[in-house]
Amino acid sequence: MSSNCPESDATDSTVPSNEHWSSVSKHVVNSYLEANNAFLAAMGISPSSESETSTITTRRRPENAEAPITELAFGNEAWLMERSVDDYDDLDVGEYVRFTKTIDDTDVSAFAHISGDTNQLHLTESFAEQTQFGGRIAHGTLVAGTISAALARFPGLTIYLSQDLEFRAPVEIGTTVTANCKIIEKLGETRYRLQTTVETDDEITAIDGEAIVVIKEQPAN
């Protein structure tokens, strides 16, 4: 993945306090359990957890919000999704998916813990206040992850081949962002080039770029 950022992040980092991490430990554990259950399900093994899969709210057809998208193992009722086409055979240039979620403090802390990116710019308010951003901001790669989330919601099985990113604006913690992925060129039978952007709820483009993906028909269960 290539990226270009006009303002580089601060390079100093410290290990966050135990008190800071305790607030997200449950989130991290739950994320691990969900990933493990998804793997077991893919292998045809019933997960031992009794937790139910959450539904995905659809902005385009809210009356169908009760039905989850079958291609996805897990969802969250706070997430929003809109897509222009529901059938794999209808994929073509111009079709799109939009995915919306709020980047909250738990997301930032969990991402720092999982990735190891403990830059103070993202975790320590007193430090971040002294930077050009005036406060803590979300990791750029965390925000860019919403592009991957949107791609996963195209009908079929989406496989990343490449992603170019340009970080245009910071995303403050607590901001709701929308990833937009639109097919702009068909490169082969299953290969596509897409325009990929992430916008804030103030319609500011935080990330711009292009992706090359393969979208195959969803394997039979």
Side-chain angles (χ1 to χ4, degrees):
M1 179 182 296
S2 61
S3 63
N4 177 28
C5 181
E7 296 289 346
S8 61
D9 288 353
T11 57
D12 293 337
S13 63
T14 60
V15 179
S17 66
N18 290 334
E19 180 179 356
H20 182 77
W21 289 118
S22 65
S23 66
V24 298
S25 60
K26 182 177 179 181
H27 175 86
V28 174
V29 171
N30 287 342
S31 297
Y32 171 80
L33 291 175
E34 288 189 352
N36 184 62
N37 286 343
F39 172 77
L40 292 175
M43 298 295 294
I45 304 172
S46 299
S48 59
S49 171
E50 297 180 356
S51 62
E52 296 292 334
T53 300
S54 301
T55 60
I56 296 176
T57 302
T58 305
R59 289 187 296 176
R60 183 162 62 90
R61 293 187 301 182
E63 67 272 14
N64 292 336
E66 292 298 323
I69 296 178
T70 57
E71 295 97 325
L72 302 176
F74 293 95
N76 186 307
E77 61 184 7
W79 300 343
L80 299 176
M81 189 279 295
E82 176 185 350
R83 65 183 183 184
S84 60
V85 63
D86 291 324
D87 296 324
Y88 173 80
D89 291 337
D90 294 332
L91 281 176
D92 206 343
V93 173
E95 306 300 347
Y96 66 87
V97 172
R98 298 188 181 109
F99 174 76
T100 300
K101 80 176 298 288
T102 299
I103 306 296
D104 59 27
D105 187 60
T106 301
D107 294 324
V108 172
S109 297
F111 184 83
H113 180 79
I114 293 169
S115 68
D117 183 351
T118 57
N119 192 323
Q120 293 184 77
L121 179 61
H122 310 302
L123 302 173
T124 307
E125 187 65 36
S126 59
F127 175 88
E129 286 176 348
Q130 307 305 313
T131 70
Q132 67 267 35
F133 302 106
R136 294 167 60 210
I137 62 172
H139 302 74
T141 46
L142 168 59
V143 178
T146 60
I147 295 174
S148 181
L151 290 173
R153 284 159 172 79
F154 274 108
L157 173 64
T158 304
I159 302 170
Y160 246 135
L161 297 182
S162 67
Q163 175 75 65
D164 293 329
L165 297 174
E166 179 182 351
F167 295 94
R168 293 189 172 184
V171 172
E172 297 179 356
I173 297 172
T175 300
T176 299
V177 300
T178 297
N180 302 278
C181 296
K182 182 178 181 179
I183 298 175
I184 57 177
E185 184 179 2
K186 191 169 184 178
L187 302 175
E189 184 177 353
T190 61
R191 185 174 297 202
Y192 301 88
R193 184 165 64 94
L194 299 97
Q195 179 185 28
T196 56
T197 62
V198 179
E199 295 182 349
T200 69
D201 46 6
D202 294 329
E203 298 184 347
I204 296 173
T205 299
I207 298 177
D208 193 9
E210 288 189 356
I212 304 295
V213 301
V214 166
I215 306 179
K216 296 184 175 182
E217 191 167 4
Q218 187 74 14
N221 293 330

